[in-house]
Amino acid sequence: MQPSEKPKHILESQQFTKENLYTLFQKANQLRTNPTNSLKNKIIATLFYEPSTRTRLSFESAMLKLGGNVIGTENAKEFSSAIKGESLEDSIRVLSKYADAIVIRHPETGAAKQASEVSTVPIINAGDGKGQHPTQALLDVYTIYREFNKIENLKITMVGDLASGRTVRSLCYLLGKFDNIEIIFVSPENLKMNQDIKDYLQRHNTQFREETNLNNILPQSDIIYMTRIQKERISLEDYEKAKGKYIIDSNNLQLIKPNARILHPLPHVEEIDLPIQTETQDPRIAYFRQAENGLYIRMALLDELMNN
Ligand code: CP
């Protein structure tokens, strides 16, 4: 790449258009059944300053399945030169000479953007604090598309820690692009969805409302998007107030429509309290398929980003 060329970064979900999304879905469907060696001789670096199972390993698997290579550190906070006091910018300046793209997860909101300002290769935001997790939102809408064959005319209930959950924020930004979506926010009083997202939905004429009684909403919902209370991002007092308030268990599962779907970005803890047989056999439980879809959508994204 010539120094004057600006790489394309993936920083926030609102940068995608509906057209981009459908193109990615098609590519993901193709690569699912027919993977290519399109990234042979390319390298991604995975630079994770926070823990991850799905995001890091699915990016790494995606790269390997496309014939590419991976370098990285799963605990950059301790195992990179950050521990010696190196700035994020210096780490990125150096890494962008070793890899063709950098996937970064960082505890601070805005860190991926900060990285993109000095990087000469594409930066992919794999989660920045309470900010965004755009590739999670891509796999979420891809899952909705695969499960419902549409992303319109759906009632989507988002449940849990909506104040510090970056996945629900990124998902709202994408859902705001589709027609006749209604979003219902159900959260503990101290962890409500932030005003910036409500303003965005209002600007995009997406209907939304806040409710407190989950069981009343379950029979009307097409999608129940459960989230974990983000213990690591809130005070112990806030955590204690919110913990265990909203749970899907065998009792209220009966209130959910037969053709509805339960999604979750995972990992889940006590907010899903179902026997493993139900989790693996009830077709309404879609979160393991959702995690699998992450692999194919990330293959499609890497292919598009590094081959164009
Ligand atoms: N959904 C998600 O980001 O999972 P990981 O934290 O395991 O990457």
Side-chain angles (χ1 to χ4, degrees), residues 51-55 105 133 136 265-266:
S52 167
T53 298
R54 280 145 289 273
T55 311
R105 171 170 289 187
H133 192 348
Q136 176 70 44
L266 299 178

Side-chain angles (χ1 to χ4, degrees), residues 246-260:
Y246 295 111
I247 289 178
I248 296 289
D249 60 20
S250 300
N251 291 323
N252 64 3
L253 185 66
Q254 294 175 38
L255 302 173
I256 295 173
K257 293 190 285 189
N259 57 352

